[in-house]
Amino acid sequence: MTRATELARHAVLGVTTAAAMLVEDPALLVVQASRRAPRSLARRAAVLLRRGAREPRRDARLGLAAWLTGHRDVARTHVAAALAAPGGRAGRRVLAEVAVELDVPDPGARGATAARRAWREGRVDDAVRLAQGTALGRRLASERDLMTPGLRLPTPTVPPTRPAPDGAPRALHVLVNSLPHTASGYALRSHAVLRAQAAAGVDVLAATRIGYPVSVGLVGARDVDVVDDVEYRRLLPWATARTPGARLEQHAHALAQVAARWGPTVLHTTTNYTNALVTQAVAAALGVPWVYEVRGLLEDTWAASFPTPALRDAARASRRHAMLRAREAELASAADHVVVLGATVRDDLVARGVDAARITVVPNSVDTALLGRHVSSVEARRALGLPTSGFWVGTVTSLVDYEGIVTLVDAVARLRDRGVDARAAVVGDGVARPAVERRVQELGLTEHVVLPGRVPPGAATSWYEALDAFAVPRRDTAVTRTVVPLKPMQAMALGRPVVASDLPALAEVVAAPGAGLLAAPDDATAWADALERLAGDDALAARLGAAGREFAAGRTWAAAGARYRALYEELAA
């Protein structure tokens, strides 16, 4: 296939995807497009909105400007005020959609917006009823069906299957997204797993979800990407089906064609349940086992996305939460084997009825090369052009609310008030970045807190090394109590002591091996106390750093690759 044909297909796919959203709801398309707009464009639009912010539309314009630039708390205040005031129908429709995104109450919501609000709040049946007879209603009904335990996708028809060669296992990985287009923790772990398996002698191939990465606006992407000798196949048709259920069937059919030609001995997928449904169907068609890697608890991640404790509690009590929880447990039980990242998730699945004998823990791990690096924080800061003096604490993470970065900023301010020359580097990007920037400015820390944004994976190591202590200030939510993040392990491999929120998943990898200190989540004073201990005790910092490096040495990707290979060989036998 020529590059011109490839680009033409991607362009048609992008246009048809946008057209489907336009048919479903033009206001939603405007909101989604605005959310994905380049940051520079969003900022220019916000400036124009603020310039024209006069009564009676002042709150609406200020709310939209704040939303475009990521200042969600400010946006909530103005959007709530604007919705309470009279306004034009067209403008209110867009505002109402933004209110759904911001979880702002809107008693006047009607039609598609009311249905989407009900869905967002977990009122699944209400959402389907409110949208009945529309394209949105068909989509929501299909998604409800997929969430309902008991439903299976049809087994796709496959062409004559290429027999797997004797010898090494062949693992086809079914992923949501991947490098080089997405550099999230999910994509980085996937890539590390694939490389580790390849190094252990497993033949690997990865395929991402139907429509990706064109579905996230990358029309110029290729059908195949190769990163560090790992091949990522893209399943990119001329158009995707209109409902979630039909798209998953389309996904299963496309994946089955790839699998039949390649001849895997095992299929390996990751959360969530949609991936599991597709992989289950294709595994049945090929007659091979499948592995479900549960990297997080979907329903708790969704509940953690709400901005207040009351809304999070309501989400956990909703029908959507219950359906997702049951669905994930059902598919974990249906898989031939389950992989988890830590003991907390394993124990949760066992409590739901998943057989403990079919669960293997393969934790977040580190490259062996990191263990041999011995660069001082002063040397690393000098190489990055940072001030070499002071006590530097920081993190490398996605900037989302539950990561608790504002708590870290507040702790740095308290330390400086105590006379400690504390400084911070927060590497990464995300929806919470504007709130972090605003807090830094409010506390007068712009000269002491560095926010370099997202950096390439290869450059991240230098930022880890520039720190005297690595911070994981996660907030106390259901998801942060159970899911073990990847980043602390890399810091430990580099000999950096860790300060983390006192949560079970973090205690498992920080307190248990003696690699750092724990502090109460959302408590800036407790965080300042823990950091002050490290800043004033070089011997303690060295002891914790050495314990962390020793712990990380037992969790290398080389060991993980060998564990995966043994698992695949056991399943084949």
Side-chain angles (χ1 to χ4, degrees), residues 145-153 277 280 326-327 330-331:
D145 291 343
L146 292 173
M147 288 165 52
T148 303
L151 180 142
R152 290 187 60 162
L153 295 182
L277 286 169
Q280 179 186 48
R327 193 59 156 146
E330 176 193 40
L331 286 162

Side-chain angles (χ1 to χ4, degrees), residues 326-395:
R327 193 59 156 146
E328 289 290 339
E330 176 193 40
L331 286 162
S333 295
D336 292 284
H337 205 84
V338 176
V339 170
V340 296
L341 278 59
T344 48
V345 174
R346 179 197 61 202
D347 295 345
D348 185 281
L349 291 176
V350 171
R352 298 193 208 185
V354 181
D355 183 1
R358 293 192 303 103
I359 301 177
T360 295
V361 177
V362 183
N364 284 321
S365 302
V366 298
D367 286 329
T368 306
L370 293 181
L371 298 168
R373 292 179 65 97
H374 295 275
V375 178
S376 73
S377 58
V378 171
E379 291 172 327
R381 290 198 291 271
R382 184 178 294 115
L384 288 170
L386 299 173
T388 56
S389 61
F391 175 79
W392 283 75
V393 60
T395 190

Side-chain angles (χ1 to χ4, degrees), residues 87-140:
R89 181 180 176 185
R92 195 189 189 288
R93 282 284 293 108
V94 173
L95 203 65
E97 290 291 350
V98 172
V100 174
E101 297 271 335
L102 294 171
D103 299 301
V104 172
D106 181 14
R110 299 288 184 272
T113 305
R116 259 188 295 278
R117 176 173 291 280
W119 188 267
R120 166 66 180 157
E121 294 172 353
R123 297 182 286 115
V124 173
D125 297 320
D126 287 346
V128 173
R129 176 181 54 78
L130 288 166
Q132 191 171 10
T134 67
L136 173 62
R138 290 187 288 275
R139 176 170 69 79
L140 295 181

Side-chain angles (χ1 to χ4, degrees), residues 39 41 71 154 184 198 242 271 311 389 397 406 408 435 444 447 479 526 528:
R39 182 172 296 171
L41 180 61
H71 296 284
S184 63
R242 291 289 172 260
T271 37
L311 289 174
S389 61
T397 188
V406 169
L408 176 62
E447 294 183 5
V479 67

Side-chain angles (χ1 to χ4, degrees), residues 231-378:
E231 183 175 325
Y232 294 98
R233 298 275 183 93
R234 312 303 179 189
L235 308 179
L236 298 171
W238 286 92
T240 54
R242 291 289 172 260
T243 64
R247 275 197 297 277
L248 290 192
E249 291 184 31
Q250 186 181 20
H251 185 177
H253 175 77
L255 181 67
Q257 307 309 302
V258 172
R261 290 191 293 269
W262 192 64
T265 60
V266 62
L267 299 183
H268 185 129
T269 194
T270 65
T271 37
N272 62 42
Y273 70 96
T274 54
N275 280 343
L277 286 169
V278 168
T279 306
Q280 179 186 48
V282 177
L286 298 175
V288 299
W290 66 288
V291 173
Y292 192 27
E293 186 163 310
V294 179
R295 297 190 182 174
L297 303 177
L298 174 63
E299 68 280 2
D300 288 338
T301 302
W302 167 66
S305 68
F306 287 86
T308 67
L311 289 174
R312 291 193 288 271
D313 289 343
R316 284 194 292 271
S318 71
R319 174 162 161 74
R320 180 177 176 181
H321 188 279
M323 292 177 74
L324 291 174
R325 185 172 178 82
R327 193 59 156 146
E328 289 290 339
E330 176 193 40
L331 286 162
S333 295
D336 292 284
H337 205 84
V338 176
V339 170
V340 296
L341 278 59
T344 48
V345 174
R346 179 197 61 202
D347 295 345
D348 185 281
L349 291 176
V350 171
R352 298 193 208 185
V354 181
D355 183 1
R358 293 192 303 103
I359 301 177
T360 295
V361 177
V362 183
N364 284 321
S365 302
V366 298
D367 286 329
T368 306
L370 293 181
L371 298 168
R373 292 179 65 97
H374 295 275
V375 178
S376 73
S377 58
V378 171

